[in-house]
Amino acid sequence: MYTITFKSKDKEKTYSNGLPSMLYERFIKDTGKTYKELSSVIITDNGGTFELPAKKFRYTYGYIEKEIKEKEFK
């Protein structure tokens, strides 16, 4: 089980009970285009807690952004 906190300049949103890709998709659907304003992401799982810069996280899970964009244009 993962818990991810998506942090931007002036707010943060936390999701849990899913894979990082699923939680990121849910975050994008809930917040719209504000995913582009992410500053960092805090991921917690059984191995501990670590923080990633948003750029690295978006690089790893950028395919989720592409899938959502493709669905919007269909």
Side-chain angles (χ1 to χ4, degrees):
M1 178 181 99
Y2 290 89
T3 298
I4 301 180
T5 300
F6 298 93
K7 297 176 79 173
S8 63
K9 182 179 174 183
D10 41 342
K11 58 183 163 181
E12 60 183 55
K13 192 143 179 98
T14 302
Y15 295 90
S16 58
N17 295 327
L19 297 172
S21 57
M22 294 167 55
L23 300 176
Y24 189 41
E25 181 176 0
R26 201 161 85 198
F27 171 75
I28 292 172
K29 288 180 177 179
D30 286 352
T31 62
K33 302 219 182 255
T34 60
Y35 69 90
K36 295 178 181 180
E37 300 171 6
L38 282 176
S39 59
S40 65
V41 178
I42 299 172
I43 301 174
T44 304
D45 67 2
N46 293 337
T49 299
F50 57 98
E51 187 167 0
L52 290 173
K55 187 174 184 176
K56 185 171 185 171
F57 184 84
R58 289 187 65 206
Y59 177 80
T60 303
Y61 294 101
Y63 69 94
I64 298 296
E65 297 170 19
K66 290 177 187 174
E67 286 177 5
I68 290 172
K69 283 182 185 178
E70 288 175 4
K71 288 178 185 177
E72 288 177 358
F73 291 111
K74 287 186 178 181

